[in-house]
Amino acid sequence: MMRLTSVEERIDAWAHRRLGGVPEHGWRARAVEFVVFVLKQAWACIFGAALLAAIVAAKLWYPDDAALARNDALVLAAVGIQFAMLVFRLETVREASVILMFHVVGTAMEIFKTDVGSWVYTGDGVLHIAGVPLYSGFMYAAIGSYMVRVYRLFDLRFDRYPRRWITAVLAALIYANFFSHHWIWDFRVVLFAATFVIFGFCTMYVRIYRATVQLPILLSFVGVAFFIWVAENIGTWANAWQYPHQESGWEIVSLAKLGSWFLLMIISVVLVAWVYPPRPPDGLERPVLPRGS
C-alpha cells in the first residue's frame, strides 16, 4: 500500500468510523463513499487551489505601488506553498520529483508560446526567464501535483493500459505539435484520433474507500481538462496571463482550449506513468486501517 500523508490518514480514519458495521451497498455507505471521493479530490487539488487562491488574492488586494512586484510576490508564494507541502509532509519527495518534471516541461513551453504571441504576461518583476515569470512553471506543477496525488489517493489501477513506449511516442508528438504547428500543419486532429485508438480500450479502476469505480480513462481525461479550463478562466480573469482576445478586457477562454488541455493530459499521464508504472486491477488493495483506528 502506498504511504499516506497525515491528512489522507485522517480522511480514511473518518470513513472507517462511519462505515464500521455498515453494509457495503446501502445508502449510508454510498453517501460516505461520495464524501470521501470529494474530500480526496479536494486534497489532490490542494497545491493548485492554493496557487490559484494566491493569484486571485494578488489581483484583489496586492498594492500596485508595493516595493516587491506582484509577479515576484507570486513566485515567492508558489515557492512557499511547495516548501510548506514538503516540510509538513503533505507531499512526498517522490511526488515532488514528478512535479519538478512538469515544472521544466511547462516552463519551456511558456517561453516559446509567449515569444510567438500565443499569450502574454503583464507586470514587472525580476524573477522571470525571457519575460516569463517563474510562477508560470508552478501552474504546470499544480497539474503534476494533482496527477500524482490521485494516483496514490485512489490506488489507481488500469486494465488494457497501452504499452508505455507507445504512449511515450504519442506524448512526444503532442508536445512537439504545441511548437511545430506555428510553422507547419497543425496535426492535432491526427493526435486526437491516435489518442482514442491507443487509450480507447483502457479502463481505470478508482478505489474510493471500500468501493471501487470503473470508468473509461478517456472520460477522466475530459473531466480533468474541463476543470483545468475553469481554473484557466479564473487565472486569466486575475491577470496571471492574457490571451490576445483579452487585451481590451477579460473574456471567457474559448472552449477550443479544452482540446489543448485534453492533449496535455496525455503528456501528464505519460510522465506520471514513468515514475508510477500502471498496475493491473488484479489484487486491488483493500483499505488499510489508519493508525490508532
Side-chain angles (χ1 to χ4, degrees):
M1 184 71 176
M2 293 185 180
R3 185 175 68 82
L4 301 178
T5 66
S6 59
V7 173
E8 295 154 11
E9 286 183 343
R10 291 190 185 98
I11 294 174
D12 275 4
W14 179 87
H16 174 64
R17 290 194 299 270
R18 298 300 185 279
L19 293 176
V22 175
E24 290 195 23
H25 303 293
W27 70 267
R28 182 177 174 184
R30 292 191 182 95
V32 172
E33 294 282 358
F34 176 76
V35 172
V36 171
F37 176 80
V38 173
L39 290 174
K40 288 186 175 181
Q41 283 287 349
W43 180 240
C45 296
I46 187 65
F47 184 94
L51 181 58
L52 192 60
I55 290 172
V56 172
K59 173 182 173 61
L60 296 177
W61 298 299
Y62 200 79
D64 293 334
D65 57 351
L68 181 66
R70 172 180 175 272
N71 286 351
D72 290 345
L74 285 174
V75 175
L76 296 180
V79 172
I81 294 168
Q82 181 67 80
F83 182 73
M85 295 282 287
L86 289 171
V87 168
F88 293 105
R89 298 181 180 180
L90 305 179
E91 182 176 87
T92 67
V93 174
R94 190 180 187 188
E95 288 172 349
S97 66
V98 180
I99 293 168
L100 179 61
M101 290 193 300
F102 279 82
H103 200 296
V104 173
V105 169
T107 300
M109 186 184 297
E110 289 290 313
I111 293 172
F112 174 82
K113 286 293 190 178
T114 54
D115 184 63
V116 297
S118 295
W119 53 81
V120 297
Y121 288 92
T122 60
D124 300 322
V126 297
L127 300 178
H128 59 77
I129 300 176
V132 176
L134 294 180
Y135 69 76
S136 65
F138 284 97
M139 293 188 290
Y140 290 88
I143 299 173
S145 175
Y146 171 81
M147 295 294 294
V148 295
R149 292 165 82 82
V150 293
Y151 190 98
R152 176 170 50 77
L153 280 168
F154 294 100
D155 192 20
L156 297 184
R157 304 297 181 96
F158 305 89
D159 186 30
R160 289 176 290 186
Y161 189 89
R163 294 184 181 275
R164 284 193 293 169
W165 72 265
I166 295 177
T167 65
V169 171
L170 175 62
L173 290 173
I174 291 172
Y175 192 66
N177 189 64
F178 279 124
F179 297 86
S180 65
H181 82 269
H182 291 280
W183 300 293
I184 62 175
W185 176 54
D186 184 354
F187 54 92
R188 72 179 60 197
V189 174
V190 176
L191 295 171
F192 283 132
T195 299
F196 279 89
V197 170
I198 293 171
F199 285 96
F201 296 99
C202 181
T203 301
M204 184 167 67
Y205 290 73
V206 181
R207 183 181 65 77
I208 302 173
Y209 184 69
R210 291 191 316 198
T212 298
V213 178
Q214 303 176 35
L215 71 158
I217 193 172
L218 290 177
L219 182 61
S220 70
F221 293 167
V222 173
V224 176
F226 172 76
F227 283 103
I228 295 175
W229 176 78
V230 172
E232 180 181 40
N233 275 283
I234 297 173
T236 55
W237 169 82
N239 292 326
W241 71 98
Q242 291 180 343
Y243 289 107
H245 74 280
Q246 297 173 324
E247 291 182 2
S248 58
W250 183 82
E251 296 180 24
I252 194 169
V253 177
S254 170
L255 279 172
K257 279 290 180 180
L258 282 172
S260 298
W261 290 120
F262 177 86
L263 292 176
L264 181 67
M265 287 303 304
I266 308 303
I267 299 174
S268 304
V269 168
V270 171
L271 287 174
V272 174
W274 281 105
V275 179
Y276 294 103
R279 297 169 296 167
D282 300 337
L284 190 66
E285 296 167 352
R286 303 294 288 174
V288 175
L289 299 185
R291 292 191 295 270
S293 297

